[in-house]
Amino acid sequence: MAAEEATHRPPTTHRPPATSRPDVSVVVPVYNTLRYLRSCLDSVLRQTIGPDRMEIVAVDDGSTDGSGRLLDRYAAKHPGTVRVIHQANSGGPAAPCNRGLDLATGRYVFFLGSDDRLGPEALERLVAAADRYGSDVVLGKVVGVNGRHVFSDVFAGGNAVDVSLFDSALPWSLANTKLFRRDLVDRLGLRFPEDMPVLSDQPFTLAACYHARRVSVLADYDYYHAVRRLDARNITYHSRIEQRLVSVERLFAYVADLIPAGARRDAVLRRHVGLELANLVGDDFRHLDRAAQERVHATVGRLVRRHVTDGLRDRLGIEARLRLGAVTAGGVDDLLAVIEQDSGRGVPATVFAGDRWHAGYPGAPARWTDVTDVRADWLARLDAVDVSWADGHTLTVTTRSPYPRFAAEAGPVRMLAGPVVGATRMDAGDPAGRTLRTDFALDRLLAAGSASGQRHPVRAEVDGGYGRGGAAVRAPRLAAGRPRLLRRGARLYAVAATVDPRNGQLVLSVVPVTVGQLVGRLCRRGRRGPATAQTSGRGPAGVQVSGRGAEARLGRHGHLEVRGAAQVQPGPLRRADQPHHHPGAGRTAPDQARGVRVDV
């Protein structure tokens, strides 16, 4: 039977008998992802491993957009491969993952988001590696699509047969999008905790990696394409804060029960403290109502005091350390003062106490503000004060340090936007030597973004007398300009500087824009007049969208937003691969998009 109905998780976890057990079961939890679901399922059905060696178990978690009907059509078309289960909405991904796991029959199980997709050879390569190396868990390289951010440090060293959970970047990649040996899952009785509204895949993945005989990493192929949904409603930090608090508390309790106290637990908690816990006191904390701020402050303070050892504290990034220190040392207003310094005024002055260096933040205790042992990282903290188009092919970022001896002590400075290294020079207009100008070539940004688009966080690296250090470049009070539409080959991209609302980091965004997306947004948002599109058969260069009173811009997370009606003509579009010349220092193109210059 291709489609089944279920209203709740069955009490048993026994798998149904299988006459011919597949090598791998792909479990796909589905909830309202109709626009992306066909591409997801097709990516599995086209796997080179072949239909005889795999099965798809798709669980429709009460979708209301037609996703369930599409699943049934696939099940009818592929009765020996696709199995569909329908259930009432559970409110999160844990229950559909568990339901799919209960019914999966493969030697291995792989979890796939219903808006994501696999590379054609992914399953064949993953299963072959697991069989060859005896691996219980195999992580294939994950790449972001439409500018989705993924943690990629674990892939930086290439393929690795045996990766430790405790001395690698593996704790930063705890999503369940991995190949798991079914015998390990059954032996441990692993299931996703359904009392965690979010983050429920982390306990499952963490326990599997902790108990695995071997965890392998494959970085030689784009196995998993993680797609950022441009059409999804924005589920904000504010609307999910209570769910996040509950889930983070349960996550920390789970880690404490799983791993004995000591260096190995700290190695895992470094991720959870530096990411999940620090995100709770990110820049968005300012916008919560006072009662919610008090609840977040109390929860974070309790978890820091219970789980953060001195050794773990000293391994945290400077910003996370300072904010968590402010939580433990004072009240909500003390934390807000630290956040306001970062988001409104920029990097503070350095305070010297004998031979010790301290970050000059208000409200944080000395043991948390001491940056003596990470002076190189501290010197790398720069504020972006201006972003402008130097010409049609170069985006210039101007940064500044408050440290008076920056030029003498920081050493050579390198600025990066994701993997792209900019051309950095001291600003001749600043005799103090604290201001830098960095040119990023747009053709290189577009090449790094490839066809999927990319968000390139801007980072500074120094290499001077205090050693090598690095830090994210924040952009306090910087108003980013409108995006520029550029062509690379037959593709159209929106390129702009944005500010990540969670942490204030400057991001150079490269987002692919199709004719359909552009016209669709105009039709949905154009209220003053009709939007029409004409194509000349030459791809994006031939698009013409007309209307009145329009504005096109990149949203908070780098996606294109079109307000009112717009006019996009072929003429202003510049091809990134066309020869160009630089009009000279200090000159800008007439249609440049500028940030707002601020003085610090």
Side-chain angles (χ1 to χ4, degrees):
M1 185 174 179
E4 301 173 8
E5 296 289 342
T7 58
H8 59 83
R9 181 183 169 194
T12 177
T13 60
H14 294 303
R15 287 173 284 138
T19 56
S20 178
R21 187 178 187 185
D23 282 329
V24 58
S25 299
V26 181
V27 175
V28 186
V30 179
Y31 179 69
N32 286 354
T33 55
L34 181 62
R35 177 177 175 180
Y36 301 88
L37 184 57
R38 189 182 301 275
S39 176
C40 170
L41 297 173
D42 286 346
S43 78
V44 185
L45 290 168
R46 293 169 182 164
Q47 289 292 298
T48 58
I49 198 171
D52 294 338
R53 297 179 58 195
M54 70 172 185
E55 68 175 355
I56 302 173
V57 182
V59 181
D60 172 27
D61 195 41
S63 295
T64 59
D65 68 343
S67 293
R69 292 190 295 273
L70 179 62
L71 289 174
D72 288 340
R73 290 198 294 272
Y74 270 81
K77 187 176 180 180
H78 306 277
T81 305
V82 179
R83 188 176 190 183
V84 176
I85 300 93
H86 299 281
Q87 63 182 28
N89 180 252
S90 65
C97 283
N98 285 335
R99 176 65 172 151
L101 186 58
D102 291 342
L103 297 172
T105 64
R107 293 191 299 121
Y108 297 99
V109 62
F110 189 95
F111 296 93
L112 174 63
S114 60
D115 43 9
D116 299 333
R117 56 181 182 263
L118 298 177
E121 302 173 18
L123 296 180
E124 185 176 20
R125 286 169 173 259
L126 290 166
V127 170
D131 286 342
R132 181 184 309 121
Y133 304 132
S135 307
D136 286 329
V137 181
V138 184
L139 168 59
K141 182 181 177 182
V142 182
V143 294
V145 178
N146 292 339
R148 180 167 169 180
H149 172 72
V150 297
F151 288 101
S152 57
D153 287 356
V154 72
F155 308 114
N159 289 1
V161 173
D162 202 342
V163 176
S164 169
L165 180 64
F166 307 112
D167 58 5
S168 74
L170 184 58
W172 295 87
S173 298
L174 290 181
N176 64 339
T177 51
K178 300 170 176 62
L179 187 78
F180 298 93
R181 187 179 295 272
R182 183 61 195 243
D183 288 347
L184 173 74
V185 173
D186 288 347
R187 175 167 56 86
L188 299 176
L190 292 182
R191 289 297 184 273
F192 296 82
E194 297 182 21
D195 60 352
M196 289 178 63
V198 295
L199 306 175
S200 60
D201 57 341
Q202 294 196 25
F204 181 97
T205 307
L206 182 60
C209 291
Y210 180 71
H211 291 288
R213 293 172 300 172
R214 174 170 287 169
V215 178
S216 298
V217 170
L218 303 180
D220 56 348
Y221 179 76
D222 291 348
Y223 290 82
Y224 194 101
H225 298 259
V227 179
R228 184 168 65 88
R229 294 173 57 189
L230 301 181
D231 65 337
R233 291 186 304 169
N234 185 30
I235 302 175
T236 66
Y237 167 91
H238 315 81
S239 64
R240 302 189 71 170
I241 191 62
E242 296 299 338
Q243 293 182 347
R244 292 184 64 81
L245 290 177
V246 168
S247 298
V248 167
E249 285 216 77
R250 288 172 178 164
L251 177 60
F252 273 75
Y254 187 88
V255 175
D257 288 341
L258 179 69
I259 307 172
R264 300 208 308 171
R265 182 195 289 178
D266 284 356
V268 172
L269 283 181
R270 183 185 177 190
R271 173 250 162 83
H272 297 305
V273 175
L275 187 61
E276 280 85 16
L277 207 57
N279 280 349
L280 288 172
V281 290
D283 286 10
D284 274 352
F285 178 85
R286 297 170 298 163
H287 306 304
L288 297 173
D289 61 59
R290 186 69 180 199
Q293 288 178 342
E294 295 284 358
R295 290 194 295 275
V296 171
H297 185 278
T299 299
V300 172
R302 180 168 59 252
L303 292 175
V304 169
R305 285 186 285 270
R306 184 176 300 167
H307 298 287
V308 178
T309 64
D310 290 347
L312 175 53
R313 178 196 65 213
D314 293 341
R315 296 183 66 195
L316 295 175
I318 290 174
E319 188 165 303
R321 186 195 313 180
L322 290 167
R323 295 195 180 188
L324 296 176
V327 170
T328 61
V332 169
D333 290 333
D334 298 297
L335 172 60
L336 289 171
V338 172
I339 295 174
E340 176 57 29
Q341 176 69 53
D342 282 333
S343 61
R345 292 188 291 273
V347 180
T350 304
V351 177
F352 301 94
D355 61 349
R356 309 300 296 179
W357 287 26
H358 290 267
Y361 284 87
R367 69 181 183 277
W368 289 81
T369 62
D370 192 323
V371 295
T372 308
D373 296 333
V374 288
R375 281 177 287 194
D377 289 337
W378 178 245
L379 288 175
R381 295 203 68 186
L382 304 173
D383 290 323
V385 296
D386 185 69
V387 178
S388 61
W389 296 98
D391 56 39
H393 294 268
T394 305
L395 194 62
T396 299
V397 176
T398 302
T399 53
R400 188 170 299 161
S401 169
Y403 187 66
R405 298 189 297 275
F406 177 80
E409 298 184 11
V413 181
R414 192 169 74 144
M415 300 286 291
L416 303 95
V420 179
V421 181
T424 301
R425 62 194 181 279
M426 288 289 180
D427 189 334
D430 180 4
R434 298 185 297 119
T435 305
L436 303 171
R437 291 174 65 83
T438 302
D439 293 334
F440 290 101
L442 294 185
D443 55 352
R444 297 188 63 192
L445 290 173
L446 289 173
S450 69
S452 64
Q454 196 58 265
R455 299 173 70 251
H456 302 297
V458 179
R459 179 177 175 82
E461 294 182 352
V462 303
D463 188 3
Y466 298 113
R468 295 182 179 179
V473 172
R474 292 180 61 95
R477 297 179 291 160
L478 186 69
R482 296 181 182 180
R484 177 158 299 189
L485 297 178
L486 297 172
R487 278 196 298 129
R488 179 177 173 83
R491 297 299 301 271
L492 178 66
Y493 295 86
V495 182
T498 63
V499 179
D500 191 318
R502 299 166 302 171
N503 56 26
Q505 185 173 5
L506 181 67
V507 178
L508 304 186
S509 294
V510 177
V511 179
V513 180
T514 67
V515 173
Q517 287 172 336
L518 190 59
V519 174
R521 288 181 184 276
L522 287 169
C523 291
R524 289 193 300 271
R525 302 191 182 193
R527 301 182 185 278
R528 295 188 177 182
T532 62
Q534 303 170 355
T535 60
S536 65
R538 298 194 304 268
V543 65
Q544 177 179 342
V545 183
S546 60
R548 296 179 298 164
E551 178 183 4
R553 59 185 293 271
L554 284 188
R556 283 158 52 108
H557 298 287
H559 58 277
L560 185 68
E561 294 179 353
V562 182
R563 297 182 176 179
Q567 184 170 1
V568 181
Q569 300 287 351
L573 298 182
R574 301 178 184 270
R575 288 188 54 152
D577 51 358
Q578 286 178 336
H580 62 279
H581 68 279
H582 294 273
R587 294 182 60 189
T588 55
D591 59 340
Q592 75 172 19
R594 292 186 59 87
V596 176
R597 182 181 295 277
V598 296
D599 295 322
V600 295

